[in-house]
Amino acid sequence: MGVKYISVFVPVYNGEKYLPELIEAVLSQELPPNYKLDFLITDSGSTDKSIDIIRLYKNKIRFNEIPNREFGHGKTRQAAAEKAKGEFILFLSQDATPTSTRWIIDMIEPFYISDKVGIVFGRQIPRPMSVPTIKREVSSVFGALGTPDSLVLHREKSLVDGAVVNNLNSFFSDVNSAVRKDLIVDIPFRDIKYAEDQALAKDFQHSGYLKGYSVRGAVWHSNEYSIPEFRKRKYDEYVGLINSVGYSIKEPLRGVLVGWIKPTLSDILFTLRDGDYSKKRKVYYILLSVGYNLASAMGRYDASTYSDKTHDAKSLEQSRKK
């Protein structure tokens, strides 16, 4: 029997902060018997020390450089998937660090349940000192998806009679994910600006495959945004969902005026109970949470205006066809 591979791909752009720990974590992974690691990184024009860091591992990483203008969340991952040697391909973002040496094994385990499992995403654990708004969001989303040792499967249609049971469950994150190489060639990432991972999940499930969630396949990850960047992030998230999976959103201006209050109160309680923050840090983060939640509400409102324009444009196009 020949050597088999498992591939890991990381797209990088100015990722020097967490890149050394990520690379070391991937290279230290335990692998199933008779498998070898195929580690790929593509840099899209970094101006920090990212390239120097990657080149320190030149004999252990297949490294590719592209101009920043050629990068696309979907198309860059798809290009790497097609070059990968692995039977399974795992994706990480540049700021996601596996929490254990069994991350690869835990991430591919759902594939061993059934040939119907086509894609898998893993748990994200927020970094201890991330801001409360982001830390609480990551903790609540992934904490609700499964108990500590569970493997969860999501499907669009009943396996018994094919009835649609869940046509909205497209949640998927390629911050920490895995796909089967034999399937990603025929069900590729879409070349879209954002939410390429959600679109991929929709396409896989629509093709009859199950989406797996591995709680033990965990990474340390929490985005680090300024308040203006957080507003833009939320806008991009919702617009990506509108364009990729048909998400519908209506947010009146009143939602911006009052929508930030409840999550801010939740952030305050979360901050006060969190043992990672010092007293001084807690005061700072409580004040900061107002800005983050206003930014979140504004991002959602901005996306709702985009949604309205998109709906109006489609309606106009349909009326012209009649």
Side-chain angles (χ1 to χ4, degrees):
M1 183 181 293
V3 175
K4 296 184 289 186
Y5 289 91
I6 294 174
S7 298
V8 176
F9 174 64
V10 184
V12 171
Y13 177 70
N14 289 342
E16 65 178 5
K17 184 172 182 178
Y18 296 114
L19 200 52
E21 69 176 44
L22 181 156
I23 291 174
E24 289 291 343
V26 171
L27 292 176
S28 67
Q29 289 295 302
E30 300 174 36
L31 296 172
N34 302 317
Y35 279 90
K36 287 188 176 182
L37 177 67
D38 174 39
F39 193 2
L40 303 90
I41 292 180
T42 293
D43 183 272
S44 55
S46 290
T47 55
D48 64 359
K49 296 179 182 178
S50 293
I51 293 176
D52 294 333
I53 292 169
I54 297 166
R55 286 177 175 163
L56 292 174
Y57 301 89
K58 60 182 179 181
N59 296 326
K60 299 178 180 180
I61 295 172
R62 287 203 283 155
F63 179 43
N64 180 43
E65 294 181 70
I66 61 173
N68 188 261
R69 65 179 180 276
E70 293 183 7
F71 174 80
H73 286 289
K75 72 176 183 179
T76 300
R77 286 175 171 84
Q78 184 64 29
E82 293 175 3
K83 294 177 182 176
K85 300 177 183 179
E87 176 182 346
F88 307 109
I89 307 166
L90 285 75
F91 297 94
L92 287 173
S93 64
Q94 65 186 18
D95 54 355
T97 305
T99 62
S100 80
T101 58
R102 287 183 61 85
W103 167 72
I104 285 179
I105 291 174
D106 289 329
M107 284 295 292
I108 67 172
E109 189 168 5
F111 294 119
Y112 286 75
I113 296 174
S114 169
D115 289 340
K116 288 185 175 292
V117 179
I119 54 174
V120 174
F121 69 107
R123 184 183 178 195
Q124 296 177 35
I125 302 174
R127 296 182 186 273
M129 295 310 296
S130 55
V131 298
T133 304
I134 295 173
K135 187 175 183 179
R136 182 176 63 82
E137 180 180 73
V138 174
S139 298
S140 61
V141 168
F142 287 91
L145 290 175
T147 55
D149 291 313
S150 62
L151 293 174
V152 182
L153 299 179
H154 301 140
R155 82 279 194 217
E156 179 183 76
K157 298 178 181 179
S158 167
L159 301 179
V160 178
D161 62 2
V164 175
V165 295
N166 190 357
N167 60 359
L168 295 177
N169 188 3
S170 62
F171 180 78
F172 188 75
S173 173
D174 54 25
V175 164
N176 176 28
S177 65
V179 301
R180 283 169 42 189
K181 171 67 182 269
D182 63 326
L183 298 179
I184 194 69
V185 175
D186 295 323
I187 312 173
F189 279 101
R190 298 186 206 173
D191 182 12
I192 53 180
K193 185 176 180 181
Y194 205 80
E196 77 294 335
D197 43 8
Q198 312 264 24
L200 185 71
K202 179 181 178 180
D203 293 343
F204 263 78
Q205 291 182 102
H206 190 65
S207 298
Y209 292 98
L210 301 173
K211 175 183 62 172
Y213 172 57
S214 174
V215 181
R216 294 180 65 86
V219 297
W220 293 107
H221 177 261
S222 41
N223 292 309
E224 299 173 358
Y225 297 116
S226 66
I227 290 175
E229 289 171 341
F230 193 57
R231 175 178 176 176
K232 179 64 166 53
R233 166 75 179 196
K234 287 299 179 182
Y235 171 79
D236 286 341
E237 283 183 353
Y238 286 119
V239 169
L241 291 173
I242 291 167
N243 290 330
S244 62
V245 299
Y247 184 80
S248 179
I249 177 174
K250 291 188 177 182
E251 185 72 16
L253 188 58
R254 178 178 173 276
V256 178
L257 299 176
V258 301
W260 62 275
I261 298 174
K262 184 176 180 180
T264 298
L265 293 175
S266 296
D267 280 352
I268 292 172
L269 291 175
F270 181 89
T271 303
L272 292 173
R273 294 169 180 167
D274 194 295
D276 294 322
Y277 305 139
S278 66
K279 290 183 179 179
K280 185 177 180 180
R281 177 66 61 175
K282 286 182 178 182
V283 172
Y284 172 70
Y285 275 162
I286 285 172
L287 296 174
L288 200 64
S289 66
V290 175
Y292 271 93
N293 285 295
L294 277 170
S296 179
M298 283 300 301
R300 182 177 172 87
Y301 174 75
D302 295 340
S304 72
T305 62
Y306 172 91
S307 180
D308 290 341
K309 292 175 183 176
T310 302
H311 180 269
D312 290 344
K314 288 181 178 179
S315 298
L316 179 61
E317 182 179 355
Q318 290 173 355
S319 66
R320 287 174 175 172
K321 290 180 179 180
K322 292 180 180 179

